[in-house]
Each structure stands twice: as structure tokens, then as C-alpha cells.
Amino acid sequence: MAAMLNNSEPPMSQAALADSLELFREIVTVNEVGGRSFVSFRQGVLDGEEGYKARNHAIARRRMGSEAWTPDDIGSGKILTAMVQAIAIPGNNLLTIDDRNGPDTRAQFPLEKALSEGRTAEMEAFFHALYAEADPPADAHLFSVAVDLFGRTYPLIGYLFFLRDIDKFTPLRPRGLQAGLTELGINYPLVQQCSWENYAGFLRIVHGLRPMLEMAFDDPRLRLIDAHSFLWVLGSWSRTPRPVGTSKHGPSSSYGPAEMAAYEIAGNILSTVSGANGQIVERRVKPKATSMGRQELEGHLADLIHSQKGLCALTGLPLDLPPDIADREMMASPDRIDSDLGYEKGNIQVVCWFANRWKGDDSDANFRRLLSRLGAGLGPAQ
């Protein structure tokens, strides 16, 4: 499969591509604030609306932790739990992950159902083969197993393969991408065509398109997922201007590194303060409760990171925020200013992980005093 994709032929002539390039630029300009022209896939509205794909891939792979999976994990629930987290990423528009059409329409629902019923072995064997085996089965076989497990659902199966290798596979939401292919003059049906043969054919088109776009845009960094976005823009983006300050996913849908970090931190806090039944755990240690629900907690944490300008509140050092975490010691971590109180508004600051670990249950004032003795830069005064 890899050799076949690497040798994919151009899916159209340069002349046929030219008209689509002009249309693509027009659509981007219509959607850019101030009607700015297209520059690259890593700037402006394209990065804001399409860049989440690569960021979600990085977050999902980190949540999966498949490098540490072993055959002994199959049937334990560990792998399925990780995969649910890899799917249910806020802002993941590659899949339906909310309840808007009922809970059983969420992409993660079959995995959650298998977990709740204790039927994890078959799905976990599939995921282990897809992500963790040194010599996995053929792609066509794995796709067939995915169809048996999840049905002919392109968004989920395409996403699972995308997580496997971002430079080989792409997500697939059929209607928008089929419309994009039509704009290119390529008659290739995707709607209700979920099969390995159909997916492989689509991948050959995108792999053939990528070097054509690289040349047309003079962008040696252009990736397969950018060629995917090119098709998606042609097939699904609005061609009439949107009001300033809105997103194609709705108002206030901006989802960047601060929001990603807030999601991770909120999950850690709620895991700490809640038992398996969702109730607050009674402890004989300093309280770590919160009265905030998940959404409110996430929003508050994101606001804190923004207000701190992405800096640690204790040391003033830059936080490493997802998806580009180079040093885990610099990851964003929630710290209770007063350790005798819970995770409540006014008592949370976002700090780097090493500072939180060093501070422990020490008082905020004393820890800041010690930092000043070390000559460390201080964060904003409390």
C-alpha cells in the first residue's frame, strides 16, 4: 500500500487544477477577516478552521499511549478507554462526538458500550493490531475488521486510520470531500461507499494531489492533510462572507492550545475529586473538591491560561501547551493557591508541572519567597 501511494499519479492535469486553485483562493478570501488573500495552510482562517486536524492527531496519539500497549492489555479495558479519549477531543469536527442527534450517534458510543458491557477483547485486539503490533496485518484486512466491528461508517474508520499515520491516511467525511472532488472534475463517489477499495482509491487521489499543490503553492511543507483540507474547502466552505468574529463552526468556537490544556487539566481535576460513581470522594487529607461542572471548569482554566499570557503563575516561565509539548516538566498543571481549599474560582492558578510538584502543600506566599531567593522570575502577584 505504501509503495502504491508514494507512486500515485496526478489525478488531473495542471490545466484542470488551475481553475480549482482560483476557486480555492476565492473561497479562502471570502472567509478571511478583512478579505485577506491566501498565504499558506498554516496561517489565517485555514489554520484556524483546518489546522485542528493535525493538532487533534497529536493529542489523540498522546492520549492513546499505544507505544506502551502489550498483548496483556487486550480485554482489560485499558485500550478502549484510551481510544474513547482519543476520539472525544473537544473541537474534533472530524467526527460526531456530542449528543446532538442522540447518544448512540456519537462516534465513541460503540466503544463505550463495549466497555460498559465488559466486551472489550475483540475491539482491543483490533486496536492493538492497528497501532501496536510490529508486524500488523494488511491494511485491507484491518479495514474489513473495522467494518465488522463498527459498521460501514467512514468518519470513524477513516479517523482511526488517520490516527495510525497522518502522512499515509486521511479522515473521511464523505459528502464534503465528494463535493470537493466534483469541483476538481473528478467523478469519484464516496457517499455510502465505505470499503477498503473505495478508501484506497480516495487515498491515491489525495496522494497524487499533494505534490501538485506543493508545486502550485510553492510550499515544500505541504502535507497530505493539507491536500485533504484543500478538497474540504472546495466542497464544504461557505462562498459568502461570514460576520466578523464568527467561525464556520459557530460563534466562539476558537479552540487553541489553551483550550486543549484546559480540557486535559479539567479531566485530571475531576478524576481526582470524583469516585467511579461521579460523587465526591471523602478523604482524610486536605480537600480537593470543586463545585464546578466540566464545562465551567474548562472555561475557567482556559481563561486563566489566557490571562497569564501562557506563563506559569509561579515562575513566570512559558508553559508547554498541547499539542507541542517538548518538556513535560513545563506542562500546564492546576495549583490550589490555598491548599486547605478546593479547586474553586479564585483558588486556582495554572503553573508548570515541576513548580507544582516542588510546591506540594507549602503555602503560596512561602513558596514564592523561596523562588525569589533562587532568583526565579515571579508570576503576577496574587
Side-chain angles (χ1 to χ4, degrees):
M1 178 67 182
M4 179 175 64
L5 293 178
N6 289 336
N7 296 319
S8 294
E9 297 183 357
M12 73 207 75
S13 67
Q14 289 288 351
L17 179 62
D19 288 342
S20 296
L21 289 171
E22 183 178 352
L23 175 61
F24 171 80
R25 292 179 187 276
E26 290 175 358
I27 294 172
V28 172
T29 298
V30 162
N31 286 271
E32 275 282 12
V33 175
R36 292 174 296 187
S37 299
F38 168 78
V39 177
S40 84
F41 285 89
R42 293 170 296 281
Q43 295 184 37
V45 70
L46 273 169
D47 181 63
E49 303 291 357
E50 299 294 317
Y52 76 91
K53 298 173 186 176
R55 293 190 285 268
N56 277 14
H57 180 276
I59 293 171
R61 291 294 311 191
R62 188 170 69 251
R63 290 184 177 186
M64 289 161 59
S66 56
E67 299 80 3
W69 294 352
T70 70
D72 290 340
D73 293 324
I74 296 173
S76 69
K78 171 184 174 180
I79 294 175
L80 277 189
T81 299
M83 289 308 304
V84 169
Q85 292 299 311
I87 292 170
I89 300 172
N92 189 356
N93 294 302
L94 298 171
L95 298 159
T96 299
I97 61 172
D98 57 31
D99 292 341
R100 73 185 75 173
N101 297 316
D104 59 347
T105 64
R106 295 174 298 133
Q108 67 271 31
F109 177 77
L111 286 70
E112 293 172 336
K113 189 170 188 289
L115 275 169
S116 67
E117 295 176 355
R119 298 181 295 100
T120 62
E122 189 176 14
M123 283 189 187
E124 292 193 321
F126 163 72
F127 287 124
H128 186 271
L130 186 63
Y131 300 116
E133 288 189 9
D135 186 20
D139 296 334
H141 173 74
L142 289 169
F143 197 99
S144 176
V145 174
V147 169
D148 290 341
L149 289 172
F150 308 116
R152 295 190 180 278
T153 169
Y154 249 147
L156 177 57
I157 297 176
Y159 180 74
L160 296 177
F161 273 80
F162 168 62
L163 293 186
R164 190 183 194 196
D165 188 340
I166 192 173
D167 294 316
K168 180 178 176 182
F169 302 106
T170 74
L172 205 160
R173 299 201 77 155
R175 295 190 184 280
L177 292 170
Q178 182 173 307
L181 291 172
T182 300
E183 288 288 356
L184 285 176
I186 299 174
N187 180 20
Y188 193 83
L190 294 171
V191 177
Q192 297 183 339
Q193 300 293 322
C194 182
S195 69
W196 171 250
E197 292 75 16
N198 186 261
Y199 185 50
F202 172 74
L203 291 175
R204 283 193 292 273
I205 293 172
V206 184
H207 275 268
L209 178 62
R210 190 207 62 76
M212 297 181 74
L213 295 176
E214 176 184 322
M215 181 180 297
F217 294 133
D218 190 23
D219 184 357
R221 296 173 58 197
L222 195 139
R223 302 181 67 180
L224 187 69
I225 196 62
D226 298 325
H228 175 278
S229 292
F230 177 82
L231 290 173
W232 187 257
V233 168
L234 289 179
S236 71
W237 273 35
S238 171
R239 303 187 185 188
T240 57
R242 292 196 305 270
V244 174
T246 65
S247 159
K248 67 190 290 293
H249 302 305
S252 304
S253 70
S254 175
Y255 193 79
E259 287 70 30
M260 295 179 196
Y263 176 85
E264 300 275 0
I265 296 171
N268 292 336
I269 290 175
L270 293 174
S271 294
T272 299
V273 304
S274 299
N277 64 352
Q279 300 302 311
I280 300 301
V281 176
E282 293 184 4
R283 299 174 180 264
R284 294 182 179 177
V285 295
K286 294 185 177 181
K288 296 183 179 180
T290 180
S291 62
M292 288 182 277
R294 172 121 204 181
Q295 186 173 358
E296 183 182 6
L297 183 57
E298 283 183 33
H300 180 58
L301 290 165
D303 288 344
L304 285 175
I305 295 171
H306 285 300
S307 68
Q308 294 173 201
K309 302 186 186 305
L311 303 177
C312 169
L314 287 170
T315 67
L317 297 170
L319 298 166
D320 265 20
L321 301 174
D324 301 317
I325 296 177
D327 186 346
R328 296 185 66 84
E329 294 289 348
M330 302 305 297
M331 287 174 58
S333 176
D335 173 58
R336 290 170 297 142
I337 297 169
D338 183 343
S339 296
D340 289 324
L341 302 176
Y343 290 103
E344 302 294 349
K345 290 182 178 180
N347 196 49
I348 305 174
Q349 57 190 353
V350 181
V351 304
C352 41
W353 166 238
F354 85 87
N356 202 350
R357 191 173 70 252
W358 288 2
K359 180 187 174 191
D361 288 335
D362 198 359
S363 72
D364 196 71
N366 189 54
F367 188 69
R368 287 174 178 271
R369 180 185 68 81
L370 295 174
L371 282 178
S372 66
R373 296 292 295 271
L374 291 171
L378 291 176
Q382 298 295 323

